Amino acid sequence: MSRRKIALVGAGNIGGTLAHLAGLKELGDIVLFDIVDGVPQGKALDIAQSSPVAGFDAKLTGGSDYSAIKGADVIIVTAGVPRQPGMSRDDLLSVNLGVIAKVGAGIKRYAPSAFVICITNPLDVMVWALQKASGLPTQRIVGMAGMLDSSRFRYFLAEELNVSVEDVSAFVLGGHGDDMVPSVRYSTVAGVPLPDLVAMGWTTQARIDAIVERTRKGGGEIVGLLKTGSAYYAPATAAIAMAESYLKDKRRVMPCAAYLSGQYGVNGLYVGVPVVIGANGVERVMEIKLDAAERAMFEKSVASVRALLEAAKALDPAF
Ligand code: TXD
């Protein structure tokens, strides 16, 4: 079997890390695309030169013409501008909307059969715009945010409870904004729900509440430290896990920004919910039962996504 092709649109901090991880995991041949000529070629060559020592076989190339992504099996989109300190994700709307319109047209022309993962912020609106601009079926375009947010949540919980990150399972629902909904009831350590761990005295409700808050602001914490951009190691790792589930038809259950057509009472929006990712893309949306408080938080988050979507439509009538 010939190798699969993974196209990375945007060869910045996340794009470069994606290329490195995809190489190390031997997911396929990799092409980096960016409007800045030289950067995708340079990163591709640098990573290719690491392959003999790291021990992976992959062809890595870079380009600044959309024909480079031709026939890709998976496309991961990070093209756009990231946040600077003091900026919210929503401040990126107008610039990144223009970028996504071009990327969507490129995908439509050169790789209409791909599975597409959008990372560009503001995430829930950008993935919606990318689906519109590319015309791909909704189940073949998802947004990456929930995997990152829940990985942050898992990490903080593992640190608090002094257990392996591998045994902590958690997920975050809703839009990728500060009103995302980290689910405490559905987060577990080796199958034991967090509320039980509080009852067992492993931690306190107040400490869990603080972790939920830190998770919500997890992206901003990194932006504040880096000062020149946003997180990239954890976002890239999360997106690669999604790509791998698709390429290997693993059918992992992952929180992703997925297109909802009635589930959770939401119609025609991309919002973070748990989904099964397999060879057909989003194979199933897992509709979990929310209690009244969770539902209220989820609806608040959905309302933020909807408001931003209206702002996007007002900026660009083509959407
Ligand atoms: O959870 C999440 N979804 C996120 C999202 C977590 C972290 C960061 N998130 C967002 O990802 C962030 O707010 C940005 O919108 C994207 C990309 O972040 P990254 O840190 O990789 O930004 P860089 O390093 O600035 O890279 C962006 C690249 C850069 O090389 C530009 O030249 C390129 O995008 N770019 C383009 N490429 C192709 N086509 C066009 N039009 C274009 N415009 C810019």
Side-chain angles (χ1 to χ4, degrees), residues 153 171-186 205 208-209 212-213 216 264 266 271-272 289-306:
F153 195 24
F171 67 70
V172 176
L173 292 160
H176 183 53
D178 291 348
D179 48 15
M180 65 179 81
V181 188
S183 168
V184 172
R185 276 192 320 134
Y186 287 113
Q205 189 57 46
I208 296 288
D209 291 346
V212 165
E213 212 35 44
R216 285 204 175 108
Y264 292 91
V266 177
V271 182
K289 240 169 125 184
L290 302 177
D291 64 23
E294 290 161 345
R295 163 122 330 250
M297 281 192 280
F298 181 76
E299 275 169 11
K300 182 166 175 251
S301 177
V302 170
S304 305
V305 174
R306 204 182 289 282

Side-chain angles (χ1 to χ4, degrees), residues 12-14 34-36 78-82 99 119 121 144 148 176 230:
N13 282 334
I14 300 181
D34 204 287
I35 42 164
V36 182
T78 59
V81 295
V99 171
I119 301 185
N121 266 329
M144 189 296 294
L148 167 66
H176 183 53
S230 49

Side-chain angles (χ1 to χ4, degrees), residues 30-273:
I30 299 150
V31 53
L32 281 147
F33 169 93
D34 204 287
I35 42 164
V36 182
D37 195 34
V39 170
Q41 293 89 337
K43 289 196 179 182
L45 187 57
D46 187 13
I47 295 167
Q49 289 169 354
S50 78
S51 64
V53 184
F56 65 84
D57 287 295
K59 192 167 159 236
L60 280 122
T61 50
S64 41
D65 187 294
Y66 272 104
S67 59
I69 71 169
K70 193 166 178 203
D73 296 288
V74 170
I75 300 178
I76 308 181
V77 178
T78 59
V81 295
R83 281 199 283 172
Q84 306 295 335
M87 286 172 91
S88 78
R89 293 178 177 94
D90 301 358
D91 293 334
L92 306 172
L93 184 65
S94 71
V95 178
N96 286 353
L97 200 58
V99 171
I100 288 297
K102 293 199 193 87
V103 175
I107 293 174
K108 186 180 205 159
R109 176 154 182 213
Y110 290 107
S113 307
F115 176 62
V116 179
I117 301 169
C118 181
I119 301 185
T120 303
N121 266 329
L123 193 267
D124 307 274
V125 174
M126 290 304 128
V127 61
W128 181 92
L130 190 59
Q131 191 277 324
K132 289 275 174 235
S134 65
L136 260 61
T138 50
Q139 76 274 14
R140 272 205 281 111
I141 299 200
V142 288
M144 189 296 294
M147 275 299 280
L148 167 66
D149 298 328
S150 54
S151 185
R152 287 180 173 145
F153 195 24
R154 288 172 64 191
Y155 172 72
F156 297 146
L157 289 170
E159 217 186 10
E160 164 65 14
L161 298 164
N162 200 19
V163 296
S164 166
V165 289
E166 284 187 62
D167 292 321
V168 182
S169 150
F171 67 70
V172 176
L173 292 160
H176 183 53
D178 291 348
D179 48 15
M180 65 179 81
V181 188
S183 168
V184 172
R185 276 192 320 134
Y186 287 113
S187 299
T188 67
V189 173
V192 180
L194 283 188
D196 293 16
L197 286 156
V198 172
M200 286 154 60
W202 280 48
T203 182
T204 62
Q205 189 57 46
R207 293 181 75 93
I208 296 288
D209 291 346
I211 287 174
V212 165
E213 212 35 44
R214 189 174 178 197
T215 302
R216 285 204 175 108
K217 307 218 163 90
E221 183 177 356
I222 306 270
V223 171
L225 289 166
L226 295 180
K227 295 181 186 73
T228 54
S230 49
Y232 50 101
Y233 293 112
T237 307
I240 287 293
M242 291 162 63
E244 196 175 17
S245 191
Y246 170 77
L247 287 166
K248 298 185 178 169
D249 193 20
K250 282 170 76 84
R251 298 177 210 158
R252 288 194 60 195
V253 180
M254 302 169 132
C256 302
Y259 188 82
L260 297 182
S261 49
Q263 302 94 333
Y264 292 91
V266 177
N267 212 341
L269 275 191
Y270 272 88
V271 182
V273 291

Side-chain angles (χ1 to χ4, degrees), residues 1-38:
M1 197 174 83
S2 61
R3 290 188 203 135
R4 311 296 286 276
K5 177 169 174 176
I6 296 139
L8 307 172
V9 178
N13 282 334
I14 300 181
T17 312
L18 286 167
H20 195 198
L21 291 173
L24 289 170
K25 286 182 162 270
E26 283 194 330
L27 293 186
D29 289 335
I30 299 150
V31 53
L32 281 147
F33 169 93
D34 204 287
I35 42 164
V36 182
D37 195 34

